Amino acid sequence: MKFLDQAKIYIRSGNGGGGAVSFRREKFIPNGGPDGGDGGHGGNVWITAVDGLNTLIDYRYQQHFKAQTGHHGQGRQMHGGKGEDVILKVPVGTQVLDEDKETVLLDMDRAGMTEMLLKGGNGGWGNTRFKGPQNQAPTYANPGQEGQERWIWLRLKLIADIGLAGLPNAGKSTFLSAASAAKPKIADYPFTTLAPNLGMVDLSPTERFVIADIPGLIEGASEGAGLGTRFLGHVERSASLIHLIDGTQEDVVEAWRIIRGELDAYGAGLADKTELLALNKIDALSEEEREEKAAALKAASGKTPYLVSGVSGEGVKELLRAAWNEVRKTRGELSRVDDEDEGVVETPGGWQP
């Protein structure tokens, strides 16, 4: 299935049905009078967040959604039926934006959330409604009320507990495949990942969280270079970020500074998230190189980097444990003060990537 994280669509609610002009004409009943029924209510446009979807690809092939017009009233005071509603099913985490693509109208951030986007028009009154002492045979009825219409944007922001950030070929996809059951595309050239990938990490039956791997960033991404920052929205909801640095490159500090600069330029609170710094691909480094590059990163960032290898699995468990603690803080299960004393809790039976 192709990944699509934004789509522009046209929505329109149904018009109300028109009221009927009718008179009762039956044998042996003189002066029957008016008996036109009311028109039915036009259909509404709804949006609902459902589990099991992770893309907006359905809205690439259909961009127009129109609810049904209410049925018209008929004689014998028969009222018209309500028009059929339109229900837009979107993945959890989808935002509804105005046509300007900036104003957020709705944030569908939980499964089952359902909201009305447009209300259908009211049905018109039949001529029965207008009869009275002064006008016993009205010959007019109301038309149905017009429905509403507008263009909107749907923008998906994946809901993940942990986000992966790094330069192209930093080993994010390899790390994701080692840490979860996800099978992202892995190759030895930049921009292998062209769309976000999600992976579920199972540390134990009660310790599970989701990691999002986004396409790699390059210097100038905030100004549109490379794939730009289009996919950074998918890690805005993350508890923290795992920043992977390719340990085989010459200047690991510069690699760290480039990504930090792009996170600052993007905004939306990404630069303020807890950063778990990891020196990746240590299976290709000697002990001296590991110590030298880890010390350089610590001097620049003020944090001791985790030493990991997505290929061999070395250090992956420790990094995932640290990520799990950050998830627990976000969920309110662990305070920022107490986690200093908690340390690493071993998974019963052990865990292997």
Side-chain angles (χ1 to χ4, degrees):
M1 179 181 292
K2 293 183 178 179
F3 181 83
L4 186 69
D5 64 347
Q6 58 184 12
K8 186 179 183 180
I9 62 173
Y10 170 84
I11 55 176
R12 193 185 195 287
S13 59
N15 297 335
V21 176
S22 176
F23 292 90
R24 183 179 182 187
R25 293 183 176 89
E26 296 183 39
K27 192 175 182 180
F28 307 122
I29 301 179
N31 303 323
D35 68 349
D38 299 340
H41 196 284
N44 304 318
V45 180
W46 300 83
I47 186 169
T48 182
V50 298
D51 282 325
L53 292 178
N54 57 10
T55 176
L56 296 172
I57 191 65
D58 292 340
Y59 300 98
R60 179 175 183 179
Y61 304 107
Q62 182 181 355
Q63 291 87 32
H64 295 77
F65 298 88
K66 300 178 182 179
Q68 187 180 26
T69 298
H71 298 279
H72 301 308
Q74 301 180 43
R76 300 189 177 182
Q77 297 189 34
M78 291 190 291
H79 301 315
K82 181 182 180 298
E84 187 175 349
D85 292 343
V86 165
I87 301 177
L88 306 177
K89 296 181 180 180
V90 297
V92 178
T94 300
Q95 291 182 328
V96 181
L97 287 76
D98 204 353
E99 191 174 0
D100 60 9
K101 210 177 178 181
E102 295 181 358
T103 306
V104 178
L105 305 175
L106 289 172
D107 191 356
M108 312 297 289
D109 58 355
R110 66 180 186 277
M113 180 178 177
T114 302
E115 297 288 343
M116 182 187 294
L117 293 176
L118 295 179
K119 184 178 180 180
N122 292 322
W125 283 358
N127 66 339
T128 305
R129 296 270 194 173
F130 299 100
K131 69 179 180 179
Q134 304 273 333
N135 187 3
Q136 297 183 8
T139 58
Y140 53 86
N142 282 344
Q145 186 182 29
E146 289 287 326
Q148 302 171 325
E149 61 181 351
R150 72 186 306 173
W151 285 90
I152 59 172
W153 280 91
L154 300 178
R155 181 173 65 190
L156 173 61
K157 292 184 177 180
L158 296 177
I159 296 182
D161 298 302
I162 300 293
L164 289 179
L167 291 172
N169 266 21
K172 300 186 297 298
S173 296
T174 302
F175 178 84
L176 181 67
S177 64
S180 69
K183 301 298 180 185
K185 182 180 179 181
I186 299 173
D188 59 353
Y189 54 83
F191 297 112
T192 305
T193 301
L194 298 176
N197 294 303
L198 289 179
M200 176 67 74
V201 177
D202 285 301
L203 295 175
S204 75
T206 59
E207 298 172 311
R208 308 178 72 194
F209 62 94
V210 179
I211 290 184
D213 168 28
I214 61 173
L217 300 173
I218 62 174
E219 189 171 10
S222 58
E223 300 174 358
L227 294 177
T229 56
R230 172 179 171 182
F231 296 112
L232 279 178
H234 296 293
V235 295
E236 285 184 19
R237 307 177 194 265
S238 302
S240 61
L241 298 176
I242 293 178
H243 185 173
L244 291 180
I245 305 292
D246 183 358
T248 61
Q249 60 187 339
E250 292 294 329
D251 194 345
V252 292
V253 174
E254 181 62 19
W256 173 79
R257 285 176 177 161
I258 289 174
I259 298 301
R260 291 304 305 177
E262 297 307 318
L263 294 178
D264 287 332
Y266 179 80
L270 287 187
D272 300 326
K273 291 185 180 295
T274 302
E275 178 189 43
L276 300 175
L277 190 59
L279 185 66
N280 196 19
K281 303 183 182 180
I282 60 172
D283 57 291
L285 302 178
S286 64
E287 288 296 331
E288 294 75 11
E289 289 175 322
R290 293 184 185 186
E291 294 177 2
E292 178 185 348
K293 294 186 176 183
L297 281 175
K298 183 177 180 179
S301 65
K303 305 171 185 176
T304 302
Y306 292 85
L307 303 181
V308 300
S309 170
V311 174
S312 66
E314 183 180 356
V316 172
K317 181 171 71 172
E318 290 75 13
L319 179 55
L320 293 178
R321 275 289 166 196
W324 171 242
N325 281 344
E326 293 299 324
V327 173
R328 292 181 63 194
K329 294 174 192 176
T330 304
R331 296 177 181 176
E333 300 174 4
L334 185 67
S335 68
R336 298 279 174 180
V337 178
D338 296 341
D339 78 305
E340 297 290 338
D341 303 326
E342 183 167 308
V344 175
V345 180
E346 291 295 333
T347 303
W351 179 87
Q352 294 294 328

